[in-house]
Amino acid sequence: MSNVVRAEAAGTRIEAGQLPATARKPRGGWGWRGTPYVFLAVPLVLLVVFTYLPVVNMFWYSLTSWDGLDKTKEFVGLDNYVAVFTRPELFRVFYVSLYYFAASFVQMALALYFATILSFSTRFRNLFKGILFFPYLINGVAIALIFVFFFKPDGTLDSILALFGAENLQQQWLGNPDINNISLASTSVWRYMGLNFVLFLGAIQSIPGQLYEAAELDGASRFQQFRYIIAPSIKPIIGLSFILAISGSLAVFEIPFIMTGGANGTATFVIQTVDMAFESLKVGLGSAMAVILLVIVLVVTWVQRKVVPEEKVNLT
């Protein structure tokens, strides 16, 4: 409501040129323009203190031979990085990450499948949404303990196999080096599929309903609707999930650390980094490994953005 209208509502009429100076003064000045920065100050300070400063410290530690206890930190330059690249046993653990990387594709495929089905009119779909998302809400330690009992000898999985007469398939699911990483990766799929499911479902539900109505009038099947409407529309979310899958597969720690402790060839790069820093008391070398992991994730993300650039979707 303009000032003239407000004056008329009050029973008097004041022309615009007769308005008081305070009424004509636009919103501005440092007080108004500085308000967003006041609200940004606290989270930015917390972000710098608890994220960027520790990263800078980590990079400094990687250039020293610090054991985590001494007050002095001897500068050794790039010796820790040379040690990481010249010791094959430190890089060999990246082979384990391939199991989780492959499992992330299964996880994304299942999440996209369920999100597509439940985006259409389906009975009890809210119930199924809750069931699929619920594992992501459970604490990772609790999930690891659940699956320790699930995979242990004569545990839940072996009992199910015995129920169907498949005792010959029973084995050491977490002790056999041939399959223990598959068991751990499947546990990771069970836990994190709910997150991808919610991301995909939210993106699918943001698609205008008129597009589905027009497609149905043209006789498009569900698969054709998925191929020509849903898939192009959620391409940015698929790209984001792909980046999260890569970084997640390289930084797996919680589930293998709790379920096997990294034994029998299940140690990941993060587990080895933690062991190097806090058990072997080589914080400098462990910090160098952490910096290398950070660089690898950034490079892979950059390559992914170049290979699959983000583009605007036009369905009209």
Side-chain angles (χ1 to χ4, degrees):
M1 181 181 293
S2 67
N3 291 322
V4 174
V5 176
R6 290 195 186 98
E8 289 178 342
T12 60
R13 179 176 179 79
I14 301 174
E15 297 298 333
Q18 301 172 343
L19 291 175
T22 54
R24 294 197 306 270
K25 186 178 180 180
R27 287 181 175 179
W30 285 105
W32 175 257
R33 284 181 293 181
T35 302
Y37 300 102
V38 173
F39 285 97
L40 286 174
V42 174
L44 285 178
V45 169
L46 293 175
L47 185 65
V48 170
V49 171
F50 293 106
T51 301
Y52 292 108
L53 284 181
V55 171
V56 173
N57 275 334
M58 181 180 67
F59 181 73
W60 160 242
Y61 295 154
S62 70
L63 301 176
T64 68
S65 60
W66 190 39
D67 61 0
L69 299 175
D70 286 344
K71 293 182 179 180
T72 58
K73 304 175 182 63
E74 183 183 357
F75 181 76
V76 295
L78 299 177
D79 288 355
N80 288 325
Y81 293 94
V82 174
V84 173
F85 287 106
T86 54
R87 293 172 59 178
E89 70 273 14
L90 297 181
F91 256 87
R92 193 176 301 142
V93 291
F94 275 117
Y95 174 75
V96 177
S97 299
L98 295 178
Y99 288 94
Y100 296 93
F101 185 65
S104 65
F105 284 94
V106 177
Q107 172 183 312
M108 291 173 57
L110 289 174
L112 184 58
Y113 173 77
F114 288 122
T116 303
I117 290 179
L118 295 179
S119 65
F120 296 114
S121 180
T122 308
R123 295 187 65 183
F124 307 114
R125 63 176 180 175
N126 289 332
L127 174 64
F128 290 122
K129 290 177 186 176
I131 292 174
L132 290 172
F133 184 65
F134 180 71
Y136 185 70
L137 300 177
I138 304 176
N139 183 272
V141 177
I143 288 179
L145 294 176
I146 290 172
F147 277 89
V148 165
F149 287 100
F150 181 79
F151 286 120
K152 76 173 186 177
D154 298 327
T156 306
L157 182 55
D158 286 347
S159 299
I160 294 174
L161 292 175
L163 184 64
F164 290 95
E167 291 88 350
N168 58 326
L169 296 178
Q170 295 177 350
Q171 53 186 304
Q172 296 282 343
W173 299 102
L174 297 178
N176 187 350
D178 294 330
I179 61 168
N180 52 10
N181 282 310
I182 297 176
S183 303
L184 296 173
S186 62
T187 304
S188 180
V189 170
W190 186 85
R191 187 194 177 192
Y192 291 106
M193 188 191 70
L195 176 61
N196 291 115
F197 167 74
V198 170
L199 291 176
F200 291 144
L201 185 64
I204 293 174
Q205 290 182 341
S206 67
I207 300 174
Q210 296 88 337
L211 294 175
Y212 295 114
E213 296 173 1
E216 290 178 356
L217 289 176
D218 290 338
S221 63
R222 294 297 189 193
F223 177 75
Q224 290 171 326
Q225 292 180 27
F226 172 80
R227 180 179 179 184
Y228 296 107
I229 297 177
I230 295 176
S233 300
I234 65 172
K235 189 176 179 182
I237 298 300
I238 295 176
L240 172 64
S241 299
F242 183 73
I243 293 174
L244 294 176
I246 294 174
S247 59
S249 61
L250 292 174
V252 173
F253 172 74
E254 196 174 53
I255 289 177
F257 183 77
I258 297 172
M259 294 181 67
T260 64
N264 297 322
T266 59
T268 62
F269 192 77
V270 178
I271 292 177
Q272 196 167 49
T273 300
V274 172
D275 289 343
M276 188 66 69
F278 301 108
E279 290 193 4
S280 301
L281 296 180
K282 295 180 179 179
V283 176
L285 184 57
S287 298
M289 296 171 66
V291 171
I292 290 172
L293 179 62
L294 175 63
V295 172
I296 291 174
V297 172
L298 292 178
V299 169
V300 171
T301 302
W302 180 79
V303 171
Q304 189 273 336
R305 302 295 291 180
K306 289 295 182 182
V307 174
V308 187
E310 185 177 350
E311 56 185 29
K312 294 183 179 179
V313 179
N314 187 4
L315 295 174
T316 59

